[in-house]
Amino acid sequence: MIQHDLSIPDRIGDLIAMEVAEFDVNSASKTGVGAATLEAFERATCPPTQVEVQFSGGVMQTCWAVTRPNGDYRVIYLPLAGYFSLCVESQFGPLDIGVHGSAIGCFSSV
């Protein structure tokens, strides 16, 4: 359970820790994809860092990066929405591309 008196980065850290603990590494046991996905996600994670994210229509919002860029992509937490997003890197910073949900789910969609 996440405590209400935590800072935003601590809340994000708790959300990610819960996802990792509940992730079914056997979800694709024949191919080993589940374990490989979790391992890659854990390698890519970073302490939550504030970033400005651009959304459709040029709307900008302060969000939190939770992974380092993975090629052209990184996972961002959207505090106003309460979920994670896969963003593409651009010359203007992260751009929301409409892939939303869990941190590992967004990460594994690339």
Side-chain angles (χ1 to χ4, degrees):
M1 179 181 222
I2 298 175
Q3 297 177 3
H4 295 287
D5 60 345
L6 295 176
S7 67
I8 292 174
D10 288 339
R11 283 178 186 243
I12 295 167
D14 282 1
L15 288 170
I16 290 173
M18 285 191 307
E19 274 192 48
V20 168
E22 295 172 357
F23 187 76
D24 181 7
V25 295
N26 297 315
S27 60
S29 60
K30 289 184 180 180
T31 61
V33 171
T37 297
L38 183 59
E39 183 180 321
F41 175 75
E42 288 179 316
R43 278 195 317 269
T45 56
C46 64
T49 306
Q50 257 187 332
V51 294
E52 289 294 314
V53 175
Q54 184 174 347
F55 294 85
S56 296
V59 173
M60 300 295 289
Q61 186 180 95
T62 301
C63 299
W64 296 82
V66 298
T67 64
R68 291 178 286 287
N70 180 9
D72 292 330
Y73 302 94
R74 71 174 142 167
V75 178
I76 307 287
Y77 181 73
L78 310 177
L80 294 179
Y83 50 70
F84 295 90
S85 172
L86 181 67
C87 290
V88 66
E89 293 295 322
S90 75
Q91 66 185 28
F92 305 109
L95 173 65
D96 179 82
I97 58 173
V99 177
H100 302 131
S102 68
I104 299 171
C106 288
F107 179 83
S108 66
S109 67
V110 176

